């Protein structure tokens, strides 16, 4: 059994739908002809919204929240046209077309009512945003099911809200796995046993209380991994518009190359620090079941892509796999001569940060205990700084804490590779590459896993630093061809 996730660009045009049809047809034929011993053959498809749709939905709701209702009708018409173009091309059966038209119309009517209510209240709550932002998948999935049926594939739409049960954190919900397992197996196993291909909405779920939730932007990857783990799939395939995970962002490094294999650990580090090809949490559900992931290109389906598994073949000691970077960060520093030997400062600092719901991407503490610095997204920096100033009011007055400083416009570069463990000189090589470009390293950190060395630098130097590191570690060459 395989779970196949198609991203927004993979269902974003007529050409893309043609490719998806061919890929699913091939997968279904392959599963039916050679099922694995002890496994129920089957194909499960998870789909994102059509490319651009989620942005339109969110932008329109955001405008409504400030009292601007003028975009609602235009957004509804634009989205209607976008989906009708696909239906016009592929769905000939009148009854099938009428059902699909009605589904899209119902979703967009609900969208219009939601935006009108948001405008009246002049408030876009996290719960309302989850409802609005998940509508794209709830249009694309039933439409894709109808398109596949028109091409002879036995497919059925399944709303993930009926099977993926989450906590009630809006905008970044986590699955409640025991409930998700029960509902998913009850709903999907009969379909798979009958040879039906379930076409499932990515990105969305429902809380235990029945409220619509989302798994965070890009969460369709995570949806596929959750369902793959629940169904004990043989492989989870992430179909996108690139040939796999690259050694660096090809928009930054022109000679970046595709990686044949990565470990779960490596891809997790890359995704967390800015690699856009996968949602950061994608590998998590697959790890316990040791289900391999594969990143593939919808528009070049014969390319083998990148395989992601617990271990890779022929890992060479000292191997750096890739370099990635993340922008729009701020570094916050809590420092003071009076901090030396004072217990609980780090605990209080990060408890306070946790209360703001800010994501901490990197932490450094001086050995003298005179300062703690950490990196958060720029959007969270203001609230974090204010919260810390309130928490340490007395310490600031007594000069135990001298300053709480927020440094804007920084970025993080992550040098990633499981083969880096225990290898001396890697940090020196990173520093030398940066020094060659006359880039100042503000902070550096290496986790206990030793699969990632992260450095903080000014954001304006990110691109050329990534290029320099890619060159220094000869990442344009296969491992066996490198000379240093």
């Amino acid at each position: 059994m395989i779970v196949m996730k198609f991203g927004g660009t993979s269902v974003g045009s007529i050409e893309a739908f043609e490719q998806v049809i061919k890929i699913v047809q091939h997968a279904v034929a392959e599963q039916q002809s050679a099922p694995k011993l002890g496994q129920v053959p089957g194909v499960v498809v998870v789909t994102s919204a059509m490319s651009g749709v989620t942005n339109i939905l969110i932008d329109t709701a955001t405008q409504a929240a400030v009292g601007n209702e003028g975009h609602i009708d235009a957004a509804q018409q634009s989205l209607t046209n976008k989906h009708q173009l696909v239906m016009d091309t592929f769905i000939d059966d009148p009854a099938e077309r009428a059902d699909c038209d009605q589904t899209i119309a119902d979703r967009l009517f609900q969208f219009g009512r939601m935006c009108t209510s948001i405008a009246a209240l002049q408030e876009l709550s996290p719960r309302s945003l989850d409802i609005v932002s998940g509508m794209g998948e709830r249009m694309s999935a039933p439409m894709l099911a109808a398109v596949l049926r028109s091409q002879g594939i036995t497919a059925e739409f399944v709303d993930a809200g009926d099977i993926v049960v989450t906590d009630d954190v809006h905008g970044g919900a986590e699955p409640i796995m025991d409930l998700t397992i029960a509902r998913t197996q009850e709903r999907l196993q009969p379909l798979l046993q009958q040879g039906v291909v379930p076409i499932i909405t990515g990105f969305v779920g429902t809380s235990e209380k029945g409220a619509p939730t989302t798994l965070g932007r890009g969460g369709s990857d995570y949806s596929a991994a959750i369902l793959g783990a629940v169904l004990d799939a043989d492989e989870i395939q992430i179909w996108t518009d690139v040939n796999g995970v690259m050694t660096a962002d090809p928009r930054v490094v022109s000679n970046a190359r595709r990686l044949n294999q990565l470990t779960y650990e490596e891809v997790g580090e890359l995704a967390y620090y800015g690699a856009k090809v996968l949602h950061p949490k994608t590998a998590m559900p697959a790890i316990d079941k040791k289900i391999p992931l594969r990143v593939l290109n919808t528009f070049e389906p014969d390319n083998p892509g990148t395989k992601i598994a617990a271990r890779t073949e022929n890992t060479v000691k000292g191997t750096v796999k890739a370099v990635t970077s993340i922008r729009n960060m701020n570094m916050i520093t809590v420092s003071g001569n009076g901090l030396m030997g004072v217990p609980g400062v780090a605990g209080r600092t990060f408890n306070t940060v946790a209360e703001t719901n800010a994501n901490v991407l990197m932490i450094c503490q001086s050995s003298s205990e005179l300062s703690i610095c950490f990196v958060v997204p720029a959007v969270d920096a203001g609230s974090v700084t204010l919260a810390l100033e309130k928490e340490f009011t007395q310490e600031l007055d007594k000069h135990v804490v001298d300053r709480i400083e927020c440094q804007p416009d920084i970025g993080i570069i992550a040098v990633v590779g499981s083969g880096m463990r225990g290898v001396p000189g890697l940090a020196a090589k990173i520093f030398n590459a940066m020094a060659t470009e006359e880039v100042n390293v503000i902070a550096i950190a290496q986790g206990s896993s030793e699969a990632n060395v992260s450095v903080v630098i000014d954001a304006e130097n990110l691109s050329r630093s990534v290029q320099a590191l890619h060159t220094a570690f000869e990442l344009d060459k296969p491992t066996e061809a490198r000379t240093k």
Side-chain angles (χ1 to χ4, degrees), residues 191-324:
L191 296 179
L192 292 167
Q193 290 167 0
Q194 296 166 30
V196 177
V197 179
I199 311 298
I200 305 170
T201 47
F203 179 52
V204 301
T206 302
S207 73
E208 281 190 90
K209 298 176 183 178
T213 57
T214 63
L215 305 179
R217 289 302 297 267
S220 293
D221 294 345
Y222 193 22
S223 300
I226 292 166
L227 295 171
V230 167
L231 295 168
D232 199 19
D234 298 312
E235 186 171 85
I236 300 163
Q237 299 177 352
I238 308 297
W239 290 86
T240 181
D241 57 357
V242 294
N243 283 333
V245 183
M246 309 292 282
T247 53
D249 187 339
R251 295 169 298 181
V252 175
V253 179
S254 60
N255 61 348
R257 66 178 182 85
R258 178 182 59 83
L259 291 159
N260 294 324
Q261 300 178 55
L262 285 170
T263 65
Y264 296 132
E265 178 183 46
E266 288 167 338
V267 81
E269 295 283 2
L270 289 170
Y272 190 71
Y273 286 101
K276 302 296 185 184
V277 71
L278 281 177
H279 187 280
K281 296 178 181 177
T282 303
M284 292 170 54
I287 291 173
D288 289 341
K289 295 286 188 73
K290 294 184 172 56
I291 300 170
L293 297 157
R294 195 176 293 274
V295 180
L296 296 156
N297 190 341
T298 302
F299 305 97
E300 293 185 32
D302 293 332
N303 190 293
T306 300
K307 182 180 179 180
I308 302 160
R311 295 181 180 179
T312 58
E313 299 171 10
N314 303 320
T315 297
V316 178
K317 192 174 180 64
T319 299
V320 171
K321 290 285 187 70
V323 182
T324 190

Side-chain angles (χ1 to χ4, degrees), residues 2 17 22 78 119 156 181 237 292 294 312 336 377 401 427 432 482:
I2 59 171
F17 269 84
K22 293 175 184 177
S78 174
E156 183 174 320
I181 289 169
Q237 299 177 352
R294 195 176 293 274
T312 58
V401 174
N432 287 338
R482 298 177 193 170

